[in-house]
Amino acid sequence: MSGADPIVGAEPIVGADLIVTGGTIYPVDAARSRAEAFAVRDGRILAVGTAEEIERFRDSGTRTIDLAGAFAMPGLVDVHNHHAHAGRAELFELTFPNTASLDGIVDAVRGRAATLGPDEWIVGSSWGTGLLDTLGRATARHALDAAAGGRPVLLTDDSHHNRWASARALELAGIDAATPDPEGGSILRDPATGEPTGVLLEAAGLLVEAVSAPAVALSAEQDVRASARGIEILHSYGITAFQDAAISLPQMRALAALDARGELDAWVVSSMTVNDQIFGYDELGDALIAHRDELSGEHHRPDFVKIFLDGTPPARTGAFLEPYLPAEGDDEQSGHDDAPWHGGTTMPAAELLDWLRRTAALGISAKIHCTGDASVRMVLDAVEVVRSEGHTAPIYQIAHGQFIAPEDLPRFAQLGVAADISPFLWFPGVIADALGTVRPAAEVAGLQPNRSLIDSGALVAGGSDWPVSETPNPWEGIQGLVTRADPSGVRPGTLGPEQAITLAEAIEVFTVNGARAMGLGDTTGSLAPGLSADFAVFDVDPFAIPVGELVGLRPRATYFAGRAVHRRD
């Protein structure tokens, strides 16, 4: 044990409600590397130290958690997920893995169709982005139509930016061979026949979302159930604080309802969606911000806006400084007017700057989706202006940021911009494979430059982007950060091993760093006096097992404000 001792001095004035002892405590606190016990009062950490020191806080009403040799650490923090969408998918929609083949997806749809009436919608997720070429043929949509028995189907990809729709769904949305591409989206057409394949990129998916939404809309109480289920799943992985990366008004109302009932057992920071090319939300931007005060609570804090500044590289909608690789069948880089295609942003630089200025004046921070290095640079340039105008308080997160120009790396620390590194892209897998079809191999090998960001002094915070990732398991991310290898062991090799970080650093990424990036650094993220008693208990010390076994860690129990919110069966 090292560092300052918070207990030296006078006898405690009040006794502890709870003492946690009998194992190893890993506080993730600069003042103390390890401890034997900690005391809790009114849901907050009272003291951390040796078992003997903490015993001084015991009185007649103190409860004890005997770790029996286990390992306790702060509750894990997920800085980027869509918890309500994940809860909704599990409770009310069709789900299948993003590794499913076309045949696997068709079989899943066929099974779901057998349980529905003849005109009921089938909505679900997530098909792998690597299937874009396969699904971009009319023959694939014909297979989907047959499996659905003529029902309308709308399936989301693993980025949640793109859709695949059946013929009946296209018909209801008024999409046919003559339908022009909407602004900000593309309707993929069969190269042989010109008919829509059902693949809808970015904003094109909203054409079908608009007609499916009324048919599959949830009631207010179902929204509450979806949110609660998402949080229940997060607790099962030891997560006690998270940021919903792009929230809707019904989802904000659901969190506020849980908070008002005393049932929101997590610190939740909401990102109010400014622009929407993928979800089909009714209220956006100022219309959503208008509800911020009424829906804020003790545990629900809608303190950010979310701006989608570009799309996804596999769909060629990420904004890059250098052009995309040629598309299949093209002789050279293609784009508008036969110029090399760089992708583009959803708004000009002036509009982005206006949003950051206006929200900064309201004390609102911003999470900005950037998948290409050109969009990253646009954000850094805008933040530089906002900071120069005296707005030092807002937190700015660049979400994803897997591609960053080398000269822009030091600007994160210089401007106080946090790197929200999600989803789990720092090891070989289906998403990295899809990126390799559109970007040069050297770029893909260096994506998610986490080592470089940390060494430059940047705040790096970890998220899952669940349900883009199949689970919100933080240890998948932690193991991948350390090894740059596939935690499942399915994919061989490593992805940019020079960008690996240490296990201690990776745990900070998913605890204290995440809390700081969300504006909760004075509330949670470590086991230090004054912070919320949020912690997870594991059977083994992560530092004492082979790094390749980290992905299998699951908490024995998860505690929020000193109360058990999950116990493993």
Side-chain angles (χ1 to χ4, degrees), residues 309-310 318-322 342 345 347-350 352-353 356 368-386 397-412 415 417:
L309 193 55
D310 64 1
F320 283 87
L321 299 170
E322 297 297 327
H342 294 253
T345 56
M347 61 181 68
L352 172 66
L353 179 58
L356 297 192
I368 307 158
H369 167 111
C370 302
T371 63
D373 53 8
S375 56
V376 169
R377 180 166 295 176
M378 183 184 288
V379 172
L380 294 171
D381 289 347
V383 172
E384 185 169 8
V385 174
V386 172
Q397 302 174 2
I398 288 181
H400 309 306
Q402 59 256 47
F403 295 101
I404 304 171
E407 57 268 35
D408 286 331
L409 284 167
R411 300 179 71 195
F412 280 75
L415 297 170
V417 174

Side-chain angles (χ1 to χ4, degrees), residues 340-514:
W341 179 242
H342 294 253
T345 56
T346 61
M347 61 181 68
E351 184 178 352
L352 172 66
L353 179 58
D354 179 63
W355 272 110
L356 297 192
R357 279 175 167 152
R358 291 199 296 115
T359 52
L362 296 171
I364 298 174
S365 299
K367 180 190 287 285
I368 307 158
H369 167 111
C370 302
T371 63
D373 53 8
S375 56
V376 169
R377 180 166 295 176
M378 183 184 288
V379 172
L380 294 171
D381 289 347
V383 172
E384 185 169 8
V385 174
V386 172
R387 296 294 194 214
S388 72
E389 294 172 346
H391 295 293
T392 58
I395 299 169
Y396 295 108
Q397 302 174 2
I398 288 181
H400 309 306
Q402 59 256 47
F403 295 101
I404 304 171
E407 57 268 35
D408 286 331
L409 284 167
R411 300 179 71 195
F412 280 75
Q414 292 165 4
L415 297 170
V417 174
D420 159 5
I421 54 170
S422 63
F424 298 149
L425 280 172
W426 41 87
F427 48 79
V430 293
I431 296 178
D433 288 348
L435 291 172
T437 66
V438 296
R439 301 305 305 171
E443 280 190 17
V444 176
L447 66 83
Q448 294 281 193
N450 306 316
R451 176 78 273 157
S452 296
L453 284 165
I454 289 174
D455 288 347
S456 73
L459 178 63
V460 175
S464 63
D465 207 2
W466 177 60
V468 171
S469 61
E470 291 192 30
T471 77
N473 180 10
W475 295 103
E476 178 183 345
I478 291 169
Q479 182 173 317
L481 283 168
V482 175
T483 67
R484 302 285 293 200
D486 178 8
S488 72
V490 173
R491 301 299 181 97
T494 57
L495 194 63
E498 71 280 358
Q499 293 297 337
I501 65 176
T502 69
L503 177 54
E505 289 170 328
I507 289 176
E508 289 179 358
V509 163
F510 278 91
T511 51
V512 63
N513 289 11

Side-chain angles (χ1 to χ4, degrees), residues 315-335:
R316 298 177 179 265
T317 52
F320 283 87
L321 299 170
E322 297 297 327
Y324 280 87
L325 296 177
E328 184 178 354
D330 287 354
D331 293 329
E332 54 185 86
Q333 306 269 5
S334 62

Side-chain angles (χ1 to χ4, degrees), residues 147-454:
R151 293 172 181 81
V153 181
L154 186 61
L155 305 177
T156 305
D157 78 337
D158 53 10
S159 74
H160 283 241
H161 279 247
N162 308 304
R163 306 288 190 269
W164 188 35
S166 68
R168 179 59 177 155
L170 294 174
E171 178 187 352
L172 291 171
I175 298 173
D176 58 26
T179 304
D181 288 344
E183 182 179 357
S186 300
I187 300 168
L188 293 196
R189 305 164 201 276
D190 187 274
T193 67
E195 67 175 295
T197 63
V199 175
L200 307 167
L201 303 182
E202 302 290 347
L206 298 185
L207 300 175
V208 181
E209 288 280 356
V211 295
S212 69
V216 298
L218 301 185
S219 67
E221 190 56 34
Q222 285 175 320
D223 277 319
V224 170
R225 287 177 56 200
S227 188
R229 178 55 183 152
I231 294 169
E232 183 179 25
I233 294 169
L234 291 168
H235 286 157
S236 74
Y237 287 96
I239 296 165
T240 55
F242 65 92
Q243 184 166 353
D244 191 290
I247 204 160
S248 69
L249 182 55
Q251 292 163 356
M252 285 175 64
R253 285 174 170 156
L255 288 167
L258 286 169
D259 209 6
R261 298 175 189 178
E263 298 173 3
L264 185 55
D265 294 326
W267 301 104
V268 186
V269 173
S270 290
S271 310
M272 299 171 287
T273 311
V274 164
N275 59 336
D276 176 19
Q277 294 180 265
I278 59 176
F279 295 121
Y281 294 160
D282 289 332
E283 296 85 5
L284 295 170
D286 292 329
L288 200 52
I289 293 169
H291 294 275
R292 180 190 181 211
D293 290 344
E294 71 187 76
L295 298 178
S296 296
E298 180 182 4
H299 299 122
H300 176 227
R301 302 182 181 185
D303 291 343
F304 281 68
V305 292
K306 170 61 175 289
I307 297 172
F308 287 96
L309 193 55
D310 64 1
T312 63
R316 298 177 179 265
T317 52
F320 283 87
L321 299 170
E322 297 297 327
Y324 280 87
L325 296 177
E328 184 178 354
D330 287 354
D331 293 329
E332 54 185 86
Q333 306 269 5
S334 62
H336 298 297
D337 301 322
D338 296 324
W341 179 242
H342 294 253
T345 56
T346 61
M347 61 181 68
E351 184 178 352
L352 172 66
L353 179 58
D354 179 63
W355 272 110
L356 297 192
R357 279 175 167 152
R358 291 199 296 115
T359 52
L362 296 171
I364 298 174
S365 299
K367 180 190 287 285
I368 307 158
H369 167 111
C370 302
T371 63
D373 53 8
S375 56
V376 169
R377 180 166 295 176
M378 183 184 288
V379 172
L380 294 171
D381 289 347
V383 172
E384 185 169 8
V385 174
V386 172
R387 296 294 194 214
S388 72
E389 294 172 346
H391 295 293
T392 58
I395 299 169
Y396 295 108
Q397 302 174 2
I398 288 181
H400 309 306
Q402 59 256 47
F403 295 101
I404 304 171
E407 57 268 35
D408 286 331
L409 284 167
R411 300 179 71 195
F412 280 75
Q414 292 165 4
L415 297 170
V417 174
D420 159 5
I421 54 170
S422 63
F424 298 149
L425 280 172
W426 41 87
F427 48 79
V430 293
I431 296 178
D433 288 348
L435 291 172
T437 66
V438 296
R439 301 305 305 171
E443 280 190 17
V444 176
L447 66 83
Q448 294 281 193
N450 306 316
R451 176 78 273 157
S452 296
L453 284 165
I454 289 174

Side-chain angles (χ1 to χ4, degrees), residues 40-60:
V40 177
R41 175 78 179 185
D42 296 328
R44 297 272 170 172
I45 302 291
L46 188 61
V48 183
T50 66
E52 181 180 357
E53 290 166 339
I54 297 304
E55 195 62 28
R56 296 164 57 196
F57 291 85
R58 185 182 299 279
D59 65 17
S60 59

